[in-house]
């Protein structure tokens, strides 16, 4: 059977959704690992990662069932959802890659001011206090705050890694966005193919 045939389309779609399933389980596992080892205490961050993992798992499940059963309705909804996810993910990925240092700093400062638990995790793990300035009356969980040595500010330390992290996230996002548009194309083609095992006069 050539790759443009029914069986090849079905197998490719199943393989793609198995990949999405593995990625979703990996995201959920990383969030659980971060909580278990005390690396992340922010329930908001963990909740977002777990929610993304569950959402991706459900999409993959719908696509997998639709591919195995050649179910027209499931495949249609899977195609539409995947297209919407592609648009959002492609836009966010491009934004991550396009941010300059000034914009990165502004984005980090907004996140710093709005997430107290994540701020405490950063200060503890990077051993720094404050973003661009530090008030001695503020609480800091870094080990340097308990000693007589002055603590470094967190903005320069985070800034060293922010660009690399954003480029990494943007690159990974672009990669998966292209797999999503591939999934949309495979689903569209697969929906319009006849199952050779079915009645030749029936269009499934």
């Amino acid at each position: 059977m050539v790759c443009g045939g029914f069986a090849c389309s079905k197998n490719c779609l199943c393989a793609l959704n198995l990949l999405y399933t593995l990625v979703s389980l990996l995201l959920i596992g990383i969030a659980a690992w971060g909580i278990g080892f005390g690396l992340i205490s922010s329930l908001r961050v963990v909740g977002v990662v777990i929610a993304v993992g569950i959402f991706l798992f459900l999409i993959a499940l719908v696509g997998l069932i639709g591919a195995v059963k050649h179910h027209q309705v499931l495949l249609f909804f899977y195609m539409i959802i995947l297209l919407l996810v592609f648009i959002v993910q492609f836009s966010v990925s491009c934004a991550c890659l396009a941010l300059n240092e000034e914009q990165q700093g502004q984005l980090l400062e907004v996140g710093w001011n709005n997430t107290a638990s994540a701020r405490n995790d950063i200060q503890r793990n990077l051993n720094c206090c404050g973003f661009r300035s530090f008030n001695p009356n503020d609480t800091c969980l870094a080990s340097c705050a308990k000693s007589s040595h002055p603590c470094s500010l967190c903005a320069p330390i985070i800034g060293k890694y922010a660009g690399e992290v954003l480029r990494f996230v943007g690159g990974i996002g672009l990669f998966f966005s292209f797999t999503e548009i591939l999934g949309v194309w495979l689903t569209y083609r697969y929906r319009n193919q006849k199952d050779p095992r079915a009645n030749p006069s029936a269009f499934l």
Side-chain angles (χ1 to χ4, degrees), residues 6-198:
F6 181 87
C8 183
S9 298
K10 177 179 179 179
N11 293 336
C12 289
L13 205 52
C14 288
L16 186 64
N17 284 289
L18 287 175
L19 174 64
Y20 289 157
T21 302
L22 292 176
V23 172
S24 68
L25 294 176
L26 181 63
L27 286 174
I28 297 172
I30 289 175
W33 178 77
I35 285 288
F37 284 87
L39 299 177
I40 305 173
S41 61
S42 174
L43 294 179
R44 181 182 299 177
V45 174
V46 174
V48 168
V49 175
I50 292 177
V52 170
I54 293 174
F55 178 70
L56 183 58
F57 180 81
L58 292 176
I59 292 177
L61 187 62
V62 170
L64 197 58
I65 295 174
V68 171
K69 295 183 175 295
H70 199 219
H71 196 289
Q72 291 292 300
V73 176
L74 288 180
L75 289 172
F76 174 77
F77 281 109
Y78 171 77
M79 183 173 61
I80 296 299
I81 294 172
L82 208 59
L83 181 61
L84 294 176
V85 171
F86 163 77
I87 294 172
V88 173
Q89 187 168 316
F90 184 80
S91 302
V92 172
S93 299
C94 290
C96 288
L97 295 173
L99 287 175
N100 57 37
E101 292 186 6
E102 182 181 355
Q103 293 169 331
Q104 291 174 16
Q106 294 173 351
L107 182 64
L108 290 171
E109 189 166 8
V110 170
W112 178 273
N113 294 328
N114 290 313
T115 54
S117 54
R119 181 166 64 240
N120 292 333
D121 290 336
I122 293 172
Q123 292 180 144
R124 185 178 67 250
N125 293 325
L126 297 182
N127 196 27
C128 59
C129 289
F131 192 73
R132 301 188 189 277
S133 61
F134 177 65
N135 187 343
N137 295 324
D138 293 338
T139 302
C140 181
L141 301 180
S143 58
C144 62
K146 303 175 184 177
S147 64
S148 58
H149 300 289
C151 291
S152 302
L153 295 175
C154 294
I157 300 176
I158 300 174
K160 293 179 182 178
Y161 305 102
E164 296 179 4
V165 170
L166 285 174
R167 284 192 295 271
F168 176 77
V169 171
I172 293 295
L174 279 180
F175 170 77
F176 277 102
S177 66
F178 286 118
T179 67
E180 288 157 4
I181 201 65
L182 174 64
V184 171
W185 175 73
L186 282 172
T187 306
Y188 175 79
R189 187 178 70 168
Y190 182 58
R191 286 187 73 241
N192 291 282
Q193 289 176 325
K194 295 182 180 180
D195 188 345
R197 298 169 301 178

